[in-house]
Amino acid sequence: MRQALCEWYRRVARDLPWRRTRDPYRIWLSEAMLQQTRVDTVMPYYERFLARFPTVHALADAPEQDVLHAWAGLGYYSRARSLKRAAEVIVRDHGGRLPDDPAALGRLPGIGPYTVGAIRSIAFGARAPLVDGNVARVFSRLTARAELTPAQLWRLADELVPEEAPDVFNQALMELGATCCMPRRPTCERCPVAGECGARRAGNPEAYPAPKRRAPPKIVRAIGAVVTRGVRPQRLLVLRRPERELLGGLWLIPTAPGDAPEGLAQSLEAEIGATLRPAGEIGSVRHLFTHRDLTLSLHRFDAGAKPSRAPAPRSDARWCSREELEELPLSGLMRKVLKAIDATPATSPRRIR
Ligand code: SF4
C-alpha cells in the first residue's frame, strides 16, 4: 500500500511552491498558513510573506504589526503572532535555524504535533508521523473504523511512516485526502489504494469517519461606530484590538456588544474628547468566525471638522484616511465594514477617502 501510494503521489502531486523546497522555514510557514485554509487562498500570501520576511531572522526582527499586515485576510491571526514569537525564540535559542529535535520544535509557540511531524519529515527527512484532518479521514476509511481516537490515529501513522522517503509518504497521504479521498464523493475509481480500502469494500466510504457533533456558532449582535472627522481627507476612527481578544492586534472601528448605539457613542465621546453627532445608519455586515456568527450594525457619527491631523486620542487609536488604513493590518470583517461604508454615502456629502 505504501509503495502504491508513493508512486501515485510522485506521478500526480500538485506543483505547489512549498513542495519545491526543503528549507525548514518555508515548510514551517506553509504548514502554518495551510491550517484551516485552502491551498488556493494560501499561495499568494505565501509568496508575499516570503518576499517580505525571507528568513527566520527577518521575521524575528519585524514589528508584529508588519507581520499581521502581511497575514491580513488569511484569518486565525493567532497563527501569525505565534509564528513571529517562535521566530524570536529560534533566533535567540537556536541560532536562527529551526531545530530538528522533536521536543525543541514542539516547545515553539504555535507548533503542535502535526507541524512537528511535517517539519521533521518534509524538511529534515526524519521518520516522523503526522495526522491532520485529511490523514484521519483516509485512515478511517482504509480501516473501515468510524471512531478512531487521536491516539489510535497517531499510532497508525507511526507504524506506517517508512524510513525511506517519509516526506513522500506523509505528503502522499495528505494529497490523497485532499484530492481523491475527499469528505464528500471520494473518487475511489482513481484511488491508488482502493484495493486495500475497507470503506470501499463496505460500499459506503462517506460514512467514515463518523461526523463530529459541533455546536453551532453562537449568534452575536454588536454595534459598530463609523466615526469620522475632518474633510479632504476625511478620517475614520479605528482602534487596535486587544492582544488576547478576537482579531487581536488588528485594527477595527469601535464596537460594543448589543444593539443600542447611544452607549457606545457616549463612551467614545469621553475617550476622544469630542462631541459625536449621529449621522445616519449604514446597515449591517455579517461575519462568520469559527464559533461566532456576528451581525454588526453600523452607525455613522460625525466628530466635527477639526484639523485632520489631530493626534490620536489613545495610543491604540488612530484617525486614518483610506490610504493610511491600507498601511494597517485589517481583518476580513474590517474590509466588509469599509465596503458597507462605501456603498452607503453619508447624509452629509462627505465620503471617506
Ligand atoms: S478507496 Fe475511496 S474511500 Fe478508500 S481511501 Fe481510496 S478514495 Fe478513500
Side-chain angles (χ1 to χ4, degrees):
M1 186 201 80
R2 284 189 297 211
Q3 195 179 338
L5 189 60
C6 291
E7 280 172 8
W8 168 82
Y9 177 74
R10 289 190 167 105
R11 218 173 45 248
V12 306
R14 290 167 294 172
D15 179 26
L16 304 174
W18 44 88
R19 287 184 176 163
R20 297 178 211 138
T21 179
R22 288 229 165 197
D23 177 354
Y25 171 56
R26 289 170 180 243
I27 304 290
W28 169 41
L29 175 66
S30 69
E31 294 300 341
M33 287 188 163
L34 286 164
Q35 283 167 34
Q36 321 274 350
T37 314
R38 293 163 49 87
V39 164
D40 295 350
T41 308
V42 165
M43 276 210 275
Y45 279 91
Y46 175 80
E47 304 283 9
R48 279 200 301 268
F49 198 95
L50 279 174
R52 205 149 164 197
F53 313 109
T55 61
V56 176
H57 278 101
L59 180 57
D61 289 345
E64 187 185 272
Q65 284 286 290
D66 288 3
V67 178
L68 285 171
H69 190 263
W71 199 274
L74 258 188
Y76 301 95
Y77 295 95
S78 60
R79 293 180 296 174
R81 286 193 296 275
S82 295
L83 207 63
K84 155 86 179 136
R85 284 208 313 279
E88 289 167 357
V89 176
I90 294 166
V91 167
R92 191 189 65 214
D93 297 348
H94 303 284
R97 298 163 67 92
L98 266 91
D100 58 1
D101 171 60
L105 265 179
R107 279 195 297 274
L108 294 170
I111 296 193
Y114 163 76
T115 312
V116 169
I119 294 172
R120 293 192 68 232
S121 62
I122 301 171
F124 298 118
R127 186 190 166 281
L130 58 73
V131 177
D132 70 350
N134 283 326
V135 174
R137 185 169 59 257
V138 170
F139 282 172
S140 173
R141 289 176 178 174
L142 286 174
T143 58
R145 293 182 62 185
E147 308 258 6
L148 287 170
T149 64
Q152 289 169 325
L153 288 165
W154 278 93
R155 201 156 47 239
L156 205 49
D158 192 38
E159 281 166 13
L160 286 174
V161 64
E163 282 294 343
E164 277 284 300
D167 56 329
V168 175
F169 176 74
N170 280 342
Q171 291 185 94
L173 268 181
M174 293 190 282
E175 187 82 347
L176 187 71
T179 65
C180 191
C181 194
M182 290 89 71
R184 299 274 159 268
R185 292 194 290 280
T187 51
C188 301
E189 61 289 352
R190 291 197 293 114
C191 176
V193 292
E196 315 285 331
C197 181
R200 179 168 162 82
R201 264 197 305 280
N204 56 347
E206 285 192 31
Y208 302 88
K212 284 202 180 97
R213 284 175 288 277
R214 282 209 182 91
K218 193 174 159 197
I219 307 283
V220 180
R221 294 194 66 82
I223 294 292
V226 177
V227 184
T228 53
R229 74 183 303 171
V231 285
R232 290 195 218 96
Q234 192 176 53
R235 288 169 188 272
L236 176 69
L237 179 65
V238 286
L239 308 180
R240 188 151 67 87
R241 302 274 308 155
E243 278 308 319
R244 301 208 170 272
E245 291 186 13
L246 194 66
L247 305 177
L250 285 96
W251 294 79
L252 186 64
I253 57 168
T255 62
D259 44 22
E262 297 78 16
L264 176 57
Q266 272 170 15
S267 64
L268 282 172
E269 281 183 339
E271 280 191 65
I272 66 177
T275 305
L276 298 186
R277 221 164 29 85
E281 206 172 320
I282 291 177
S284 58
V285 294
R286 188 166 170 218
H287 195 76
L288 279 178
F289 297 96
T290 317
H291 303 295
R292 283 179 231 193
D293 180 347
L294 170 71
T295 301
L296 187 65
S297 304
L298 302 175
H299 295 260
R300 281 186 191 277
F301 294 95
D302 189 348
K306 295 236 177 90
S308 57
R309 288 230 169 257
R314 315 183 325 196
S315 64
D316 57 353
R318 286 188 195 168
W319 294 102
C320 288
S321 67
R322 180 55 67 89
E323 289 77 15
E324 288 161 346
L325 277 176
E326 291 306 323
E327 300 301 314
L328 299 178
L330 305 179
S331 60
L333 171 61
M334 182 61 185
R335 295 269 167 213
K336 286 184 188 173
V337 168
L338 291 174
K339 219 163 151 187
I341 293 172
D342 287 346
T344 316
T347 333
S348 63
R350 295 180 212 127
R351 298 220 354 171
I352 294 163
R353 275 185 40 191

